[in-house]
Amino acid sequence: MIELIDLSLQRGGKPLLEDASLRVNPGEHMALVGANGSGKSSLFKLLCKELGYDSGELHLPGHWQIAQMRQEVDASDRPAIDYVIDGHAAFRRLESEIAACTDDHRLAELLGEMELINAYQIRSDAERLLQGLGFQQQEIERPVNGFSGGWRIRLNLAQALMCPSDLLLLDEPTNHLDLDASMWLEQWLRRYEGTLLLISHDRDFIDACCDFVVHLEHHQLYRYRGNYSAFERQRSERLAQQQQAFEKQQAERAHMEDFVRRFRAKASKAKQAQSRLKALERMSEIAPAHVDSPFKFRFYAPSQFSDPLLSISQASLGYSEPILRNVNLSIHPGSRVGLLGANGAGKSTLMKTLAGTLSPLAGQRQQGEHIYMGYFHQHQLESLDLHASPLLQLQRLRPDAREQEVRNFLGGFNFKGPRAEGDCLHFSGGEKARLALAIIVWQKPNMLLLDEPTNHLDLEMCHALTSALQDFEGAVIVVSHDRHLLRNTVDEFLLVDDGAVTPFDGSLDDYRQWLLSRDKTSDNGDTGASPEEPVVDRKRARQEAAARRAKLAPLSKEVKKLESRMATIGRELADIEQQLADPALYEDSNKQKLKELLTRQGTLREENNGVEEAWLTLQEEMEALADEL
């Protein structure tokens, strides 16, 4: 087992661990969580003996084989398949000895050792790893330096998985994966029999792969039994024992419950909407576990909209040759869309076309007069002015804003004091990603295009972003491998696959099943439906959607009025409940005020019941109309 006893560690004069203790038993799958800069990656370096500690003890079995996903990007002429097999050091050693061996007896011994490590299947194992991580069969012989940086990181991950290991250290392994590859890796790690230590911002990924969580907080290591969801529950219970934290928890819970109430009124029978409703209810439960987060921000309410905000008609999208054909898509205010599909299927091509940075090869792209777009993508981090402070970069965008307003805004992204005033030259990837998001929010968009927005963010910032997106009143289109973000922020999915963009009528769990069934069909050589069928389906879907909007418009307008009233009632009830929580209210001198508040509370609850009943009646009428259509 791994054991840390009263261990202290400093880096650059900054204390990371102070008399910290931890035990990791063989075979445990454990997630390391904590704020950026708290020491998670440094702990990995300690275990690999790349870093020394200041005091205390560290015990690690000397015979353990450690595999680690390297973050450095190699420039190598080696074919990808050979680069991955290099991770199996024992195989490469035996291969080298056999090539140089001149003694028949020793050669027989070496061949026997090869048999013991199943050398005959090592190449096929490496091919399966590469395919699972999204590489095409024709790419496995391509040299490493023929791939982009993100794909080389995938090769590093494959190399780490190829190594027979007792301890596997993975630092943000899903950062450069799409959703398909992330789901594949999740299944692989579930079967891994060794000890796993994982750093990840993807809570669903942690939930699926880990049965223990270690929280790095206040220079200590706190061990929790269970996955990340269990950790949140346990931590919120611990924080609730502190009165000040408890009061903040109630405000967070009230905010989330109000949002769930409002969303429930909007959620139709669609699987995606129901899935998001369940996720939102879960968010209201875990909100208390994040009351001490350093991140707190909200998107500005858009001042005006066009409807539609953006539309693409009969378009072919791509570069010199089309990647996607016959694309028809309209983005309306309030649209919340998640894009599904494998890497290379065309999701980024579609996002670039929506953003206007890539023109359609054929067809039309039209945007409304009142569209204010915020586009987050990974290359945006490279366009930051690293020689300017976060404060200056925001002031350039809105020179009329008061300095205190800018500082308050940046504080919500945890850029305070020197971090807000100094240049960005030494910012980490996470800090650059936070600044890029802050710049987008500051410009008050009414349409957001988010391409893997959680890469480089820690779990607390991911939670803050998810909460902010829930309140955002504009349109959202998201590409992400983070299923928690998708479940909580989108109402519908589009599948980008086989050169087409089609509605996906299902949840993320349905998408997983679709992937499995597609892989089985592919293995059986079945090509499936003819290419023309999706086009017909899309045309029919557009016609039905247009008819539905025309018939449902009057009812939808009335539903919005009821929703608005329910939201107002909810806010007033929350305010009354907050006043009722004040012990001073129950003193004799405040009897009249108490009576008035209780009376008003009863009146509001009665009105709310009536409004909800009216909403239910309208909802039934709308669903009946939808069924007829």
Side-chain angles (χ1 to χ4, degrees), residues 68 110 158 252 278 348 369 378 425 430 451 497 527 613:
Q68 182 179 19
L110 292 172
E252 283 293 314
K278 291 177 182 176
S348 291
E369 179 184 359
Q378 293 306 303
L425 283 170
D451 193 347
D497 184 64
T527 58
E613 188 174 344

Side-chain angles (χ1 to χ4, degrees), residues 260-278:
V260 170
R261 265 197 304 273
R262 285 184 281 129
F263 185 77
R264 187 189 301 280
K266 298 178 183 179
S268 68
K269 288 182 178 178
K271 289 182 180 179
Q272 308 96 305
Q274 292 301 320
S275 175
R276 183 170 172 226
L277 179 57
K278 291 177 182 176

Side-chain angles (χ1 to χ4, degrees), residues 539-560:
K539 183 177 180 181
R540 185 182 301 118
R542 289 196 305 275
Q543 292 171 341
E544 291 178 355
R548 187 179 298 113
R549 281 197 296 271
K551 289 192 175 184
L552 296 180
L555 294 178
S556 297
K557 187 175 181 181
E558 186 61 30
V559 163
K560 287 182 179 178

Side-chain angles (χ1 to χ4, degrees), residues 490-508:
V490 307
D491 302 334
E492 58 181 309
F493 292 114
L494 293 177
L495 178 61
V496 183
D497 184 64
D498 197 23
V501 180
T502 55
F504 184 81
D505 184 20
S507 65
L508 288 174

Side-chain angles (χ1 to χ4, degrees), residues 21 35 61 143 169 189 197 217 263 302 334 386 410 425 437 461 467 545 593 608 613:
S21 297
L169 305 175
L189 291 177
L197 290 181
E217 182 182 32
F263 185 77
L386 300 184
L410 285 170
L425 283 170
L437 278 170
M461 183 59 191
S467 297
K593 183 179 180 182
N608 194 59
E613 188 174 344

Side-chain angles (χ1 to χ4, degrees), residues 380-421:
Q380 187 177 7
L381 275 60
E382 300 167 9
S383 66
L384 293 173
D385 185 350
L386 300 184
H387 296 281
S389 68
L391 186 66
L392 178 58
Q393 294 189 58
L394 264 64
Q395 287 174 325
R396 286 171 179 169
L397 294 169
R398 285 170 49 192
D400 58 327
R402 292 181 297 106
E403 181 175 328
Q404 191 58 50
E405 179 189 358
V406 184
R407 288 182 180 275
N408 292 343
F409 177 83
L410 285 170
F413 292 83
N414 204 27
F415 293 115
K416 302 173 183 176
R419 301 305 283 173
E421 299 163 359

Side-chain angles (χ1 to χ4, degrees), residues 119-162:
Y120 64 91
Q121 69 178 45
I122 283 177
R123 182 179 176 88
S124 61
D125 287 346
E127 287 184 5
R128 278 195 292 273
L129 284 174
L130 286 168
Q131 289 167 0
L133 292 174
F135 292 85
Q136 301 299 316
Q137 184 64 32
Q138 63 268 25
E139 294 178 317
I140 67 174
E141 296 291 346
R142 187 194 296 181
V144 173
N145 56 19
F147 292 96
S148 66
W151 285 93
R152 291 189 208 176
I153 292 292
R154 290 197 193 203
L155 290 174
N156 286 350
L157 174 57
Q159 192 180 75
L161 301 183
M162 193 68 204

